Amino acid sequence: MNNRVNKAYIAASGIITSVGCTSLMTAAAVAAKISGYKISDYHNYDRQPVTLSLIPEMIFSDFPYDIDEGDNYSAQYDRIIKAAIVALRTVFKAHAATQPLPLVLAMSEPLDKVMQIPPRLLISNLLNQPDLNIAADKVRCIHTGRAAGIQGLDLALRYLYDGGEDYVLLGGSDSHLESSLLNQFDAQRRLLAPGSKDGFAPGEGAAFLLLTRHPERALCHKGHIIALSPPGVAEEPGHLFSDEPYKGDGLDKAFKQALKDHSGSPISAVYSSMNGEHHWAKEYGVAMLRNKPCFHEKVEIEHPAECYGDLGAATGAALMVVAAEHLFKRSGPATYLAYSSSDSAWRAAVRMEKLACQTSAATPDPIRHPALDSDWPETRSEAE
């Protein structure tokens, strides 16, 4: 009987947020607690300016590539498409694909009376870019919002192991810069603004991972690679749109699934989708308490949304990108857990391990910036 757990290995990554346009820049900004929050021109029902966390406007206004606007084009659609192209272009610059690659695409969860980008519009624009070698017949969308990026790892693993693919792309792009969406959050009193007691900063960004089933083809930095285990995915009955009691059972189940094969050293850090709203702290406390033996007694908790805002459907992939960069900087092998919770029922978690490169042929990282890299020292925490 074969008890081997199929894992995905990170071969490349790309990300753009309000605090950085590469994986290293964004991860360094998060490590330094640099904030991309800014007061916006949007005002809530109390006539107070709302805090947003947006990608610099020049990224979109000076975009050098053709975009197919389709019907009913909007500023939000424009930003989602262009951010995705920027992040994916970084991935393909790091890894020149010799054949079209499958893509697992995280998308927003459906909301009543809220405009959302049609999947075909985003996908067609990605396929129209000549340097993005994506297989048109192997694009799959997961419409579960924040949880989708980590949840999509299950499909990515099936592409790699059941489908025999050598590589697969996983990620998402999203923007909250849409009045109908902001209005809905405002009506729910969820926006961060002067006088608000409980709110989050809507953000925007894109994050993508290139994954492989071959550890020898993984991105190798200072003798180490990053492995992703199969995700834990579950549903929370008491989610934001439900009348059921909110007990945190969904995230607990996702943690248990993600940790069921863990036999190494205790988890030393958790990367969370918590965005500043008090609501999300309860389920985190429940999940940590019920799975306490798997975690170091001084486990670190990171919630990068405090730097780049809530990234919506890009959240899961962004957490994995940032966690991977921080794992690379940590001295010695280590294991992290990343998780995302959607406004709806879905919860997803993944175990991420830093392992020694298996061969000297592992893919070097060609897109790092030596000056910035040297300014970001190795980290060693009490949890090690």
Side-chain angles (χ1 to χ4, degrees):
M1 182 176 179
N2 184 7
N3 293 319
R4 190 186 74 171
V5 176
N6 292 333
K7 296 182 179 182
Y9 303 89
I10 297 178
S13 68
I15 188 172
I16 181 167
T17 67
S18 63
V19 296
C21 59
T22 67
S23 300
L24 185 61
M25 289 173 64
T26 298
V30 170
K33 306 301 180 186
I34 294 173
S35 175
Y37 286 24
K38 290 185 178 181
I39 299 296
S40 73
D41 294 331
Y42 180 86
H43 287 66
N44 64 12
Y45 290 148
D46 297 324
R47 299 183 179 180
Q48 296 296 321
V50 172
T51 297
L52 302 179
S53 188
L54 304 179
I55 295 170
E57 192 63 36
M58 62 176 293
I59 298 293
F60 304 109
S61 60
D62 297 333
F63 204 72
Y65 310 103
D66 292 334
I67 298 297
D68 176 13
E69 298 184 357
D71 299 326
N72 302 318
Y73 203 61
S74 71
Q76 182 200 35
Y77 296 177
D78 187 77
R79 301 169 87 90
I80 290 173
I81 292 167
K82 290 177 179 177
I85 291 172
V86 170
L88 279 167
R89 185 160 279 117
T90 302
V91 173
F92 279 98
K93 284 183 179 178
H95 178 91
T98 57
Q99 60 184 15
L101 303 179
L103 169 63
V104 179
L105 190 58
M107 301 291 292
S108 297
E109 49 198 333
L111 295 172
D112 291 339
K113 300 179 182 180
V114 172
M115 291 181 60
Q116 294 179 317
I117 187 169
R120 64 182 181 278
L121 179 61
L122 174 57
I123 294 168
S124 65
N125 272 285
L126 299 181
L127 295 176
N128 285 343
Q129 304 302 311
D131 55 343
L132 303 185
N133 198 3
I134 298 171
D137 60 336
K138 295 179 181 178
V139 179
R140 299 292 181 270
C141 297
I142 300 178
H143 297 264
T144 55
R146 289 190 209 93
I150 296 175
Q151 187 178 0
L153 177 58
D154 181 68
L155 181 53
L157 286 166
R158 280 186 272 162
Y159 266 125
L160 292 173
Y161 287 92
D162 297 339
E165 300 285 347
D166 291 319
Y167 297 96
V168 61
L169 294 161
L170 169 65
S173 181
D174 208 350
S175 172
H176 288 96
L177 199 62
E178 161 54 42
S179 59
S180 61
L181 180 58
L182 293 175
N183 288 342
Q184 185 173 110
F185 289 143
D186 190 14
Q188 298 166 344
R189 298 295 182 181
R190 295 181 62 187
L191 296 177
L192 183 62
S196 64
K197 297 180 180 179
D198 184 15
F200 74 96
E204 62 185 5
F208 290 89
L209 298 155
L210 178 66
L211 304 175
T212 179
R213 59 188 166 92
H214 306 288
E216 68 275 10
R217 299 186 188 181
L219 173 66
C220 184
H221 180 59
K222 295 185 178 179
H224 290 87
I225 60 175
I226 305 298
L228 307 179
S229 295
V233 179
E235 294 184 74
E236 168 57 53
H239 57 86
L240 283 175
F241 306 136
S242 171
D243 294 328
E244 295 293 320
Y246 174 47
K247 298 180 180 179
D249 294 336
L251 188 61
D252 169 45
K253 291 177 182 178
F255 271 35
K256 282 182 167 58
Q257 290 180 24
L259 297 168
K260 65 181 179 181
D261 299 309
H262 181 57
S263 59
S265 59
I267 307 294
S268 52
V270 176
Y271 283 71
S272 166
S273 62
M274 285 192 287
N275 61 6
E277 293 181 286
H278 300 159
H279 173 83
W280 308 107
K282 178 178 180 178
E283 64 177 5
Y284 172 73
V286 169
M288 290 296 290
L289 184 63
R290 294 180 182 175
N291 297 278
K292 188 175 180 180
C294 294
F295 295 90
H296 195 282
E297 61 180 5
K298 295 182 179 179
V299 62
E300 301 168 6
I301 173 66
E302 295 282 351
H303 28 87
E306 69 177 352
C307 298
Y308 51 54
D310 190 318
L311 301 185
T315 296
L319 287 172
M320 290 187 283
V321 169
V322 171
E325 288 293 339
H326 289 180
L327 265 173
F328 275 134
K329 299 303 298 183
R330 201 179 194 111
S331 58
T335 304
Y336 288 175
L337 186 79
Y339 81 86
S340 283
S341 297
S342 298
D343 282 358
S344 63
W346 293 103
R347 307 291 187 261
V350 60
R351 191 170 78 251
M352 304 177 63
E353 299 173 89
K354 180 182 178 184
L355 307 173
C357 293
Q358 294 194 3
T359 71
S360 59
T363 306
D365 185 353
I367 60 172
R368 294 186 181 276
H369 304 277
L372 181 58
D373 204 19
S374 63
D375 290 339
W376 188 19
E378 294 266 351
T379 58
R380 182 187 299 274
S381 73
E382 294 180 352
E384 289 187 2

